[in-house]
Amino acid sequence: MEDEKVEEKIRCLIEQARTTGKPTKRRRLVSGIPSLFQIIKTKEQADEFMEMLNRVFNKVP
């Protein structure tokens, strides 16, 4: 009996969520795109990352 009440409440919540009219955003992993693309968003971040790479490859302190 308690289980049925919980299931009914869940069904009501699901139905209420469907009828809000708001579009849903599905989060998904971007396949085929390197993970750096997901991390580096601005030109400043990209420039800083390139500087760090140059220091490592050229062994500059």
Side-chain angles (χ1 to χ4, degrees):
M1 190 156 145
E2 187 77 24
D3 214 19
E4 293 172 4
K5 289 181 182 180
V6 172
E7 287 180 16
E8 182 62 32
K9 286 182 181 181
I10 291 172
R11 274 184 283 211
C12 287
L13 286 174
I14 291 172
E15 187 60 36
Q16 183 182 6
R18 285 184 185 150
T19 59
T20 59
K22 291 183 180 181
T24 58
K25 261 188 177 177
R26 292 187 181 175
R27 294 193 69 187
R28 63 179 174 92
L29 294 175
V30 180
S31 62
I33 297 177
S35 60
L36 282 177
F37 179 76
Q38 297 173 2
I39 296 170
I40 298 175
K41 299 288 184 186
T42 65
K43 182 173 178 3
E44 292 80 20
Q45 290 174 331
D47 291 340
E48 185 179 345
F49 181 73
M50 289 305 294
E51 284 179 27
M52 290 187 322
L53 281 179
N54 283 334
R55 276 188 257 146
V56 169
F57 284 118
N58 295 328
K59 296 183 181 171
V60 176

